[in-house]
């Protein structure tokens, strides 16, 4: 099957594999530890899946808002590979998203 | 009542999952792949990281400028048509006959615009509003009002808004009509005994009872107007200039006109996220408003 038109990169591949992994884990959890709805600080009943969805959606918007407000200046270069791995400030948005996901899973 | 929930029924949804995988997930993944790369055709791609997003979200660049402009136009379009269609639809719903031979006739007439395909609606209005041969355009111009949707941005906006109102007010009207029909007569009788005015009846009985259907109506109209493409494309093609270029039209220009796959992919991802968030918000509010009301009713 010809897949050149899909233009895969290892970065997007990794991203989708992580996403698929998270979905698989959540599905397995749903099978072996069935979830119940609960009402959190938003006063809406949410299940684990709902909280994952909210976290992912928030993560997407946090990244967009970060790029809009802060841009993506390089912070540092990690000594990986020949040219080094440039770390931009967008990774801070990723950390914020991860933290927020924790908050959402705990309190929403 | 502890009924075990058997989730194995979800396996029955497997064929749908497979179909969706091919017609939605694979293309969507491809869009994500494109959004981080640049191409000059021939399936050769160059890594661009988040460059397109950076450009898209920066209003000072060409791409960002046109994105925020068309996003603003789209928001304005949705706001205008919601502000017109919802009150008008409720009003029409209130005026529709509740019994007698007129009911069937009114329902058919109201449903007619909803059955016309988008591109046909576009073509109808494209001709109807022309200033040289169109009935509407010709009359308006002969009344001394300068109206030409191919030249004037205001005329173009009035045309596409009127077209949308013509096409979709019926939906709100039919939804409110159905909602009104479901209100038991006892409420009206009680209001009559209390000597409530027509306005009080509307505010305290009809409007609260219509909340659910109106939320659905607003949700449907918002999503549809935010994703509308065919009708404005057929009538104005985004013009004059860029004055009616809303997001979907801009996206098609970018992706299929200029073939800038990278920036178009970034734009469609952001567009998609906005719609996804709006959808979730509406859906959550919609389901929970009802849940709250049910809860208070149980307590009462």
């Amino acid at each position: 099957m010809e897949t050149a038109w899909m233009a895969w990169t290892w970065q997007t591949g990794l991203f989708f594999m992580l996403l698929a992994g998270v979905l698989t884990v959540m599905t397995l959890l749903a099978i072996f530890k069935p979830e119940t709805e609960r009402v959190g600080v938003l006063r809406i009943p949410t299940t684990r899946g709902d909280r994952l969805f909210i976290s992912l959606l928030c993560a997407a918007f946090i990244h967009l808002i970060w790029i809009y407000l802060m841009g993506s200046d390089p912070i540092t270069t990690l000594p990986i590979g020949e040219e080094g791995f440039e770390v931009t400030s967008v990774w801070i948005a990723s950390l914020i998203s991860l933290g927020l996901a924790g908050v959402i899973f705990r309190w929403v | 009542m502890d009924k075990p929930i058997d989730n194995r029924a979800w396996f029955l949804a497997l064929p749908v999952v497979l179909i969706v995988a091919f017609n939605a997930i694979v293309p969507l993944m491809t869009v994500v792949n494109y959004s981080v790369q640049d191409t000059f055709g021939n399936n050769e791609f160059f890594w661009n990281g988040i460059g397109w997003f950076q450009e898209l979200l920066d209003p000072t660049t060409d791409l960002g400028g046109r994105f925020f402009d068309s996003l603003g136009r789209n928001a304005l379009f949705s706001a205008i048509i919601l502000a017109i269609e919802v009150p008008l639809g409720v009003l029409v719903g209130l005026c529709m006959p509740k019994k007698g031979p007129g009911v069937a006739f009114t329902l058919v007439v109201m449903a007619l615009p909803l059955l016309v395909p988008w591109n046909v609606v576009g073509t109808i209005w494209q001709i109807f509003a022309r200033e040289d041969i169109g009935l509407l355009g010709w009359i308006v111009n002969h009344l001394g009002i300068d109206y030409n949707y191919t030249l004037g941005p205001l005329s173009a906006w009035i045309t596409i808004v009127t077209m949308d109102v013509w096409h979709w007010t019926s939906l709100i009207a039919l939804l409110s009509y159905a909602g009104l029909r479901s209100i038991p007569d006892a409420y009206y009788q009680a209001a009559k005994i209390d000597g409530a005015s027509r306005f009080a009846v509307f505010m305290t009985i009809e409007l609260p009872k219509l909340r659910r259907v109106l939320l659905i109506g607003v949700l449907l109209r918002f999503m549809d107007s935010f994703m509308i493409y065919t009708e404005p494309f057929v009538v104005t093609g985004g013009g004059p200039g860029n004055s009616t270029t809303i997001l979907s039209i801009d996206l098609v220009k970018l992706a299929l006109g200029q073939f800038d796959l990278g920036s178009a992919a970034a734009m469609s991802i952001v567009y998609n996220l906005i719609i996804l968030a709006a959808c979730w918000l509406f859906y959550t509010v919609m389901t929970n408003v009802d849940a709250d009301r049910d809860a208070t009713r149980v307590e009462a």
Side-chain angles (χ1 to χ4, degrees):
Chain A
M1 195 169 66
E2 181 68 53
T3 55
W5 61 276
M6 285 189 77
W8 280 103
T9 60
W10 68 263
Q11 291 93 335
T12 47
L14 188 68
F15 171 74
F16 280 116
M17 262 161 23
L18 279 175
L19 203 59
V22 169
L23 289 177
T24 312
V25 169
M26 293 295 283
T27 310
L28 291 177
L29 268 177
I31 293 172
F32 293 110
K33 268 190 81 180
E35 48 194 339
T36 44
E37 280 192 348
R38 67 135 197 263
V39 178
V41 284
L42 287 183
R43 298 187 48 213
I44 53 169
T46 53
T47 61
R48 265 199 306 260
D50 293 332
R51 292 194 283 274
L52 176 71
F53 177 76
I54 298 169
S55 308
L56 290 176
L57 202 57
C58 285
F61 276 98
I62 286 172
H63 282 85
L64 291 179
I65 291 168
W66 183 276
I67 294 173
Y68 177 69
L69 293 177
M70 303 291 185
S72 57
D73 303 323
I75 311 172
T76 175
T77 306
L78 295 180
I80 305 171
E82 280 173 29
E83 294 172 13
F85 184 77
E86 195 177 69
V87 178
T88 64
S89 70
V90 178
W91 285 99
I92 301 175
S94 310
L95 289 179
I96 296 174
S97 309
L98 212 57
L100 186 72
V103 172
I104 287 172
F105 267 86
R106 177 70 186 78
W107 281 292
V108 168
Chain B
M1 277 265 291
D2 259 349
K3 207 174 169 192
I5 299 168
D6 194 343
N7 277 323
R8 275 180 301 180
W10 284 106
F11 282 122
L12 294 175
L14 214 56
V16 178
V17 173
L18 286 177
I19 292 170
V20 170
F22 271 100
N23 70 14
I25 297 176
V26 168
L28 196 63
M29 289 202 289
T30 310
V31 168
V32 173
N33 290 344
Y34 287 173
S35 74
V36 291
Q37 297 178 84
D38 197 2
T39 179
F40 303 105
N42 219 5
N43 276 344
E44 277 181 57
F45 293 91
F46 307 93
W47 177 253
N48 191 25
I50 57 165
W52 292 122
F53 291 96
Q54 182 87 59
E55 206 176 320
L56 188 75
L57 295 170
D58 183 357
T60 56
T61 62
D62 268 356
L63 182 64
R66 71 189 267 185
F67 170 68
F68 281 102
D69 282 351
S70 43
L71 182 65
R73 281 186 214 110
N74 223 147
L76 184 67
F77 179 71
S78 294
I80 293 176
I81 64 115
L82 281 180
I84 297 176
E85 284 175 17
V86 174
L88 188 64
V90 174
L91 194 68
V92 173
L94 285 169
C95 294
M96 283 165 70
K98 290 200 172 55
K99 47 180 172 272
V103 174
F105 176 73
T106 323
L107 284 178
V108 170
V109 170
M110 291 306 292
L112 269 181
L114 302 176
L115 301 176
V116 185
W118 286 264
N119 52 352
V120 176
V121 171
T123 313
I124 290 172
W125 279 83
Q126 208 257 355
I127 296 169
F128 185 49
R130 273 177 69 159
E131 89 290 352
D132 51 353
I133 57 166
L135 187 60
L136 175 76
W138 189 85
I139 291 176
V140 169
N141 273 292
H142 276 70
L143 289 173
I145 300 162
D146 189 24
Y147 168 81
N148 186 338
Y149 67 83
T150 55
L151 291 179
L154 185 66
S155 306
W157 268 85
I158 290 172
T159 312
I160 59 168
V161 166
T162 317
M163 175 173 66
D164 200 80
V165 169
W166 177 83
H167 196 181
W168 289 110
T169 304
S170 297
L171 179 76
I172 307 280
L174 290 174
L175 279 174
S176 353
Y177 182 69
L180 287 167
R181 289 293 296 271
S182 71
I183 302 175
D185 237 9
Y187 286 89
Y188 292 110
Q189 288 160 4
K192 208 164 195 174
I193 292 168
D194 288 343
S197 67
R198 183 69 192 84
F199 183 70
V201 169
F202 176 70
M203 290 306 286
T204 53
I205 297 175
E206 290 171 336
L207 205 53
K209 288 278 176 196
L210 283 181
R211 186 152 68 164
R212 192 194 164 106
V213 288
L214 283 185
L215 267 166
I216 296 171
V218 169
L219 172 68
L220 285 174
R221 284 314 303 136
F222 172 77
M223 297 328 301
D224 208 46
S225 64
F226 211 71
M227 299 191 285
I228 192 170
Y229 174 74
T230 318
E231 295 170 30
F233 177 73
V234 172
V235 176
T236 66
N242 275 333
S243 56
T244 54
T245 302
I246 49 176
L247 270 176
S248 57
I249 291 181
D250 206 17
L251 188 56
V252 170
K253 277 185 186 171
L254 194 61
L256 300 178
Q258 300 166 222
F259 229 73
D260 284 335
L261 292 183
S263 43
M267 193 198 261
S268 54
I269 286 173
V270 176
Y271 189 8
N272 217 329
L273 282 171
I274 294 172
I275 291 193
L276 195 62
C279 245
W280 178 81
L281 208 66
F282 269 119
Y283 176 77
T284 308
V285 170
M286 206 161 82
T287 44
N288 286 291
V289 161
D290 267 17
D292 275 0
R293 271 168 61 205
D294 290 345
T296 42
R297 199 178 307 148
V298 170
E299 282 161 26

